[in-house]
Amino acid sequence: MFEMSYEDYQEKVKQIILTEGGNCPVTSLLSLLSGKWKFHIIYLLSVKSPIRFGKFKKLIPDITNTMLTSSLRELEEEGFITRKQYNEVPPHVEYALTTKGIDLLPVFYAMTQWGLKYIP
């Protein structure tokens, strides 16, 4: 995962961890991705993209239409995903990761590796 010692990590973090407002940038990211479904949506788009709204419903059966719509809108507003509407018969919408969303994938991969190591 990370090829540096804990001490090296601490030195690097001390140089960048606080924003001008004194906040941790990780906290800001977690706030942007807060909610029960956003990580799941980004994960699904990372393994198969683009995805239609109906496919999300099949892949996340416990999510309501309202919550899926809300989560997708918030991710789009934050620039993590794009929404492309096709005005044909029948009309449909597809969602895909933006460059900003794709840039999160190494973070998700590192979290996956941690999970495989520590969560049974």
Side-chain angles (χ1 to χ4, degrees), residues 42-120:
I42 291 175
Y43 168 75
L44 291 172
L45 287 170
S46 76
V47 295
K48 180 175 176 31
S49 185
I51 299 179
R52 291 185 182 189
F53 187 90
K55 185 68 171 177
F56 275 120
K57 286 293 293 169
K58 288 178 184 173
L59 295 170
I60 315 172
D62 294 339
I63 196 169
T64 65
N65 284 351
T66 303
M67 184 54 69
L68 178 56
T69 299
S70 173
S71 298
L72 289 167
R73 280 190 185 141
E74 290 172 16
L75 287 168
E76 183 182 12
E77 287 171 8
E78 293 299 337
F80 292 109
I81 66 172
T82 60
R83 178 184 188 275
K84 185 172 183 182
Q85 184 169 336
Y86 293 88
N87 295 321
E88 46 190 51
V89 179
H92 66 276
V93 175
E94 291 182 342
Y95 296 90
L97 291 174
T98 62
T99 302
K100 183 177 180 179
I102 291 169
D103 285 348
L104 274 176
L105 298 184
V107 175
F108 274 62
Y109 182 75
M111 291 168 58
T112 301
Q113 295 305 301
W114 185 92
L116 290 171
K117 184 175 181 180
Y118 292 106
I119 300 174

